[in-house]
Amino acid sequence: MIVYLNGKAYEAFPGEQVLQVALRNNVYIPHLCFHEKTGKAAKCRACVVEIEGMPGLKTSCNVPVTNEMRVTTNSQQVLEAQRLVIDLILSSGQHDCLSCEQNGNCELQDAAYYLGIKKPSFQLYDNDYTIDDSSEFISVDRSRCINCGRCIVGCNQTVVNEVLNWGNRGFDTKIVFDTDLPMGSSTCVQCGECVQLCPVGCIIDKRSIGSGRTWELDKVETICPYCGVGCRLEVHVDRKHDKIVRITGVEDAPTNNGMLCVKGRYGFDFVQSSERITTPLIKENGKFREAGWEEAIGLVASKFNAIKKEFGSDSIVGLASAKVTNEENFVFQKLLRKEVGTNNVDHCARL
Amino acid sequence: MTNDIAGIKKADVILIIGSDTSAAHPVIAARIKQAVREGKSRLIVIDPKKIVMADYAEIYASQRPGSDVAVMNCMMQEILRNGWEDKEYIENRLEGFDEFKAEIMQDKYSPENVEILSGIKAETLRAIAKLFGQAKVASLFYAMGITQHTTGRDNVWTTANLQMICGNLGVDGGGVNPLRGQSNVQGACDMGGLPNVYPGYQAVTVAANQEKFEKAWNCKLDNKVGITITEMIDGAYDGTVKAMYVMGENPFLSDPDQTHVIAAFEKVDFMVVQDMFITETAEYADVILPAAAYAEKCGHFTNTERRVQRINKIIDPPEGVKTDWEIIQLIANAMGSDWNYQCAEDICKEINALTPSYGGITWERVGRYGLQWPCPNEEHPGTPYLHKGKFARGKGLLSPIAFKEPDELPDEEYPLILTTGRVLQQFHTGTMSRKTQGLNNLAGPMVMISVEDAESMGISNSEVVMIATRRGEITAPAFVTKRQRKGVIYIPFHYKESPANRLTNPAIDPIAKIPEYKVCAAKVKKTK
Amino acid sequence: MKFYRSHILIGIDDASLAAGVKEIEALLRNELQKNNLSDEINILETGTLGHFGTGVSMLVYPEQVTYVNLKKEDIFEIVEEHFLKGRPLQRLILDRSLTQNYDFNYKRRIVLSNSGVIDPENIDEYLGAGGYEAWEKALTTMKPNELVDEVKASGLKGRGGAGFPAGLKWSFTAPIVADQKYVVVNADEGEPGTFKDRLIMEGDPHKLLEGVMLCAYAIGASKAYIYIRGEYKLCIHRLEIAIAAAREYGILGNNIFGSGFDLDIFIKVGAGAYVCGEETALIESMEGNRGTPRSKPPFPGVAGAWQKPTVVNNVETLANIPAIIKNGAKWFAAHGVDGSTGTKVYTIMGDVNLPGLCEVDMGTSLRTIIQQYAGGMIEGRTFKAALVGGAAGVFLNDTLLDVHMDYNSLREYAAVLGSGAILVMSDTVDMVDMLWSVLRFFRHESCGKCNPCSKGTALLFKLIDGIRKGKGKDSDLEQLIKVSNGMQKTSFCALGQSPCMPIASAINNFRQDFLTRINVK
């Protein structure tokens, strides 16, 4: 079907909401509470538009498209309403971008930029707030919270851990963990789904604070090295310092839909651990000494050959690995079967 | 998994037995919880420990560890007695039903008798059978709670029996779904990292397979089945194994009866360990070869639903570190061969050529979403669920499985059952997860004890206690919880400072060769 | 049947209970007995007698005198003077010249026809007053769609505030085929100054139940819930008694009157959040969730309680239904004016002589209501403003005293009938304080679901608070209007859309009050 956005025709599909059609076609409408995964909430009210034949303004995230629908996203009335909504949000929290982790990756910043709001018109919050730093991996700064509710939907409907919820009412509404416990004392399992869904700098990865602006980081997709679910993740790397800074889940992955667990999201220190060994080691008199590759490989090969010769191929065994690639396991068993001449290959599948 | 992750929400009923899903496979647990929350699926959880998933279950039952065959046979007896089985499916797609039925219908599997065996109330067993048996499509998820028994194979066959008689195999949303515990344990199996098969489960004993690989590799190959990991340790111990090559594994912590493992390591003539770290196992090596991490190389992992997915190189390995395949190639060539792989892609091509189920999973085709094997050719879209229409062997074989007790049962001296497993925040032997301090802060060693047992022994929470079995003893802080079943203690095996596998029984399943980690006799003592 | 020479109706409601009515009643009974009058004089407990701020009051027939503000020591005198000597005690009698409100022979009452007349805890009295005749008529002689048509034809509009035609609402849900439908009674009555639903339920609970039954039958619902605020203890008590009695009489239950129709009614107690008067927030709260509005569509008529088709109606709306079904749409439409048929129950508060409750025809002027039913302005004070429709209403000034109180007439002045609360203010009241109070209410009651409302109500209050404290600027008035208009356009539900009404009307009609506060430091 066809939908007109500001007079221009775009293709739309049944079941889509107006906002989805607009975003797919790069027609920006400010929006904060909508996320493809958590769905329409119509809470933030930033995405209001005019729709021909409907009275007043409508939130575009929860109006399903109909054929020939005519939508105006940029009239004076629309922009003024959107500006009020964003202005009220900016006026109600500590939305300074200077040292905010999400600077450059913030949906509130995008909206304010689009609407040309230079500074909040009102001041509705007091400076008296504390950051909840009690959790091992996640930091919560409620002064930046915009009550979009994406974290709550994610916690309850996506990962179904049922920890986050709303507390208080009205202006004092806030996100709470269990019965308003500090995050670290709550039943939170720190899967980080809330971090991934937060559109602003409220719920953030504690361990990556200050370690790189989002636009400075290179992002590469790969597969999680932990359990067998095979979650697809995106590794954020600071190339200048060759350092892994953060890991996020890939939203469109068939295995995990953006979800990760505490290990997959935060347990990446081992890769760049100082305990890594970087040179072959040979044991002499009960102690390891560093050796060159040529020496070490030569020793292994000559030992294998000698043992094979003296005791037969089957006196050599190999343990393949449940943590290396298919390609590497393939050549490992090939080495044992072809070069050593034994089927004594196994790995810890049973353990 | 015979079925795929997307199929979870297509099941009317989901049975989790022997899997602490939210701890070991959190994202699959989330999918199951979603299915329950959205009202798509009803959940049954059978596990000795009241795991988190039990909180989402319509029926939760705690069985005595090791009684799984009895419990499932009982379910099947109830299903057959009430006519809830899929008669058409049994008629058309299965064989061996009569012998199977003769075993199942014996009085020893009646709910009342299995109540005595398993500790699950007869009425609960009936309710489970009814809910499961009457489901249109039911799926079954298990993990090491089913396999790590001396009756591991029996347990697995019983899950298959159950799913077959209910017509849940080869059906979208159904299936027997073992959850694989490591990122590429599926791939390691698929790639022939097993003593009995070449890549793609082509038996080494079949002449045609042998010829195929001999031709491809231009060499002579052995046609007798090799030895398994536990037999390797035994071999090293008794001197028949002279050299061990260990790649990215840590048997020191992962194998049963640690004392025995250490003795074997000390005895073996030559041991090579290839790893990122000097693991507990590597301490015993003669040579340690530094290998690259997952983020430093490319290739493929195959996940629990048989989805082959690309891993990409994110950063360079530290200077002096090589990828595993590079090291293996160096050894092969140093041994006198002439391998010439330039990159992982070259190996992938060989996999495609020699592994029928991976035939179509080429480097170019894998893409961002991966492909699920079997995928025999480049036109094939992959296979979300197995056994559609017919089984690999033609007709599905129902085998009568008799209940057997575990190898070592509690007695007067060792009155408790020890069972081992994982916690959410740690992984396997901890070589990776324990390098992140935050994870260590969240989860350290512990022994989970029921409130009843703790009270009777005067043990309080966090108190360091000693746990002993016939193999050895360790100390760990007690975690006293209502979630634990009376008479059973649970220890995660991740920790070298409290190594659960110093305690476990090395008795193995005679066919699957899997050790009985889930049941052994133990005692707990106060340390002060 | 026993005949008494005199009947005493004692109004039992939350207010009189607080004033110790039970003690006084016991004392009265005791005194009558002492004087051997028990066989001659009958005491009946009933609902409110319609006045407010009158403490313990009782109405004595056949003299038709109302005693108000009774204290214990008064009882001896009343028994002595009135019941023994036959001389009504003038000192304690309500001045009848002030009001016609308590004229219980008033024929045009629909909703309050039994209130203050029958014992609300006795189903037989309701039956004796013609109760459940409509229910029996409907079940035995009418098809559900005939009920819908009758209500449509009556022109009855929702009395909760929005004024949506009741019959039309029913007609959306009635044809839907579903395994379960619900009727939900909105008895959350949260609009400040409104307590009509409480008095309807306290005075005549069966009338509400009968209305619910008729609605349930019309739309095909087998379950109904009364969502009632927790503070309404007496209502809950009397409704529980009424439901139990109806069940016992076979008026509720399975196969009622052999018609094959099943219905049961349940009470859900709310915690008294203003936003839960919004029907979707009410449903959320009823389901056990946080009381916040749902996104519409789908409307409750299609997917309401537990996602099943649900009709949510206000107490007063449903209390009109039995009379409509019993007497016909035509009879009902003869009350009121074109476009606003029937009567309306008002609660009148403020600087009037007799604050209280009255039921008058739609279209009666504000002046008439104040003069005739509320006893006029308190002596020495002149009318300045009336806040009509609760917090979400408008401030009318004296130029609008003769406006007809009906949907269409009020719309011309951008005003609403709302819940029927009328707060009358004299010249002693400063509109800045009034608006401050209204905006503080909105700030307190915003549920927090959407940004414009949760943050906007806080901003509005901050602005008016500044003005009130003498720190305001002229531009603050424009800011109040601008922000509240923006909120009207962007807020999720009526709560955030409403503050523009009291704000615009207060500032436009009483600008001088604001300017005075701003400019006189």
Side-chain angles (χ1 to χ4, degrees), chain B residues 9-14 40-43 135-139 173:
Chain B
K9 288 188 185 173
K10 293 172 188 157
D12 305 307
V13 172
I14 296 171
K40 290 177 174 139
S41 315
R42 299 162 76 180
L43 180 64
K136 208 158 144 255
V137 181
S139 61

Side-chain angles (χ1 to χ4, degrees), chain B residues 227-289:
Chain B
I227 56 175
T228 62
I229 186 162
T230 34
E231 291 164 323
M232 291 174 185
I233 301 292
D234 290 345
Y237 185 79
D238 63 28
T240 54
V241 168
K242 300 290 179 193
M244 285 186 90
Y245 181 8
V246 181
M247 171 173 72
E249 296 275 284
N250 192 12
F252 182 95
L253 280 179
S254 65
D255 285 37
D257 193 1
Q258 194 184 56
T259 318
H260 177 64
V261 173
I262 292 171
F265 286 168
E266 279 168 348
K267 277 194 174 172
V268 73
D269 285 355
F270 186 66
M271 183 155 138
V272 183
V273 171
Q274 186 167 307
D275 209 297
M276 293 181 286
F277 301 102
I278 304 179
T279 61
E280 296 77 16
T281 303
E283 297 281 1
Y284 294 86
D286 296 285
V287 179
I288 308 178
L289 301 171

Side-chain angles (χ1 to χ4, degrees), chain A residues 214-260:
Chain A
T214 176
W215 60 85
E216 295 174 328
L217 302 176
D218 196 14
K219 296 164 195 76
V220 189
E221 284 186 14
T222 193
I223 302 300
C224 178
Y226 286 104
C227 81
V229 178
C231 296
R232 194 164 188 87
L233 39 83
E234 194 165 55
V235 184
H236 303 231
V237 193
D238 174 1
R239 289 287 176 217
K240 268 184 268 179
H241 303 94
D242 211 22
K243 196 167 163 20
I244 296 176
V245 167
R246 176 185 295 133
I247 284 178
T248 52
V250 173
E251 289 292 343
D252 64 345
T255 45
N256 57 313
N257 273 140
M259 294 181 277
L260 292 176

Side-chain angles (χ1 to χ4, degrees), chain B residues 223-377:
Chain B
N223 67 352
K224 76 174 182 306
V225 171
I227 56 175
T228 62
I229 186 162
T230 34
E231 291 164 323
M232 291 174 185
I233 301 292
D234 290 345
Y237 185 79
D238 63 28
T240 54
V241 168
K242 300 290 179 193
M244 285 186 90
Y245 181 8
V246 181
M247 171 173 72
E249 296 275 284
N250 192 12
F252 182 95
L253 280 179
S254 65
D255 285 37
D257 193 1
Q258 194 184 56
T259 318
H260 177 64
V261 173
I262 292 171
F265 286 168
E266 279 168 348
K267 277 194 174 172
V268 73
D269 285 355
F270 186 66
M271 183 155 138
V272 183
V273 171
Q274 186 167 307
D275 209 297
M276 293 181 286
F277 301 102
I278 304 179
T279 61
E280 296 77 16
T281 303
E283 297 281 1
Y284 294 86
D286 296 285
V287 179
I288 308 178
L289 301 171
Y294 82 106
E296 297 157 359
K297 60 192 178 186
C298 49
H300 297 96
F301 284 168
T302 305
N303 82 345
T304 188
E305 48 162 1
R306 297 164 284 101
R307 189 184 297 275
V308 182
Q309 304 191 93
R310 172 77 44 80
I311 66 158
N312 291 311
K313 182 173 167 177
I314 293 148
I315 46 171
D316 286 326
E319 208 179 315
V321 170
K322 293 184 192 298
T323 61
D324 288 287
W325 70 264
E326 285 175 316
I327 301 170
I328 295 162
Q329 173 159 287
L330 284 174
I331 294 173
N333 289 344
M335 284 176 76
S337 199
D338 55 348
W339 292 16
N340 188 24
Y341 300 116
Q342 297 300 314
C343 55
E345 201 175 337
D346 288 351
I347 307 170
C348 185
K349 279 194 188 111
E350 192 171 318
I351 295 171
N352 299 146
L354 293 173
T355 317
S357 54
Y358 278 64
I361 308 179
T362 64
W363 195 270
E364 296 76 19
R365 275 194 80 204
V366 166
R368 284 185 67 237
Y369 302 139
L371 278 167
Q372 286 174 281
W373 68 256
C375 175
N377 56 57

Side-chain angles (χ1 to χ4, degrees), chain A residues 350, chain B residues 142-153 155-156 514-515:
Chain A
R350 299 175 181 85
Chain B
Y142 70 79
M144 293 306 196
I146 280 291
T147 54
Q148 288 174 340
H149 291 276
T150 46
T151 57
R153 175 192 159 277
N155 290 352
V156 170
I514 190 163

Side-chain angles (χ1 to χ4, degrees), chain C residues 253-291:
Chain C
N254 291 338
N255 193 19
I256 303 162
F257 303 152
S259 64
F261 184 74
D262 304 336
L263 176 67
D264 211 343
I265 302 177
F266 307 92
I267 296 172
K268 285 266 181 179
V269 179
Y274 181 55
V275 74
C276 290
E278 198 279 343
E279 56 182 5
T280 59
L282 184 154
I283 288 169
E284 280 287 310
S285 167
M286 202 178 78
E287 289 182 10
N289 303 324
R290 210 179 143 84

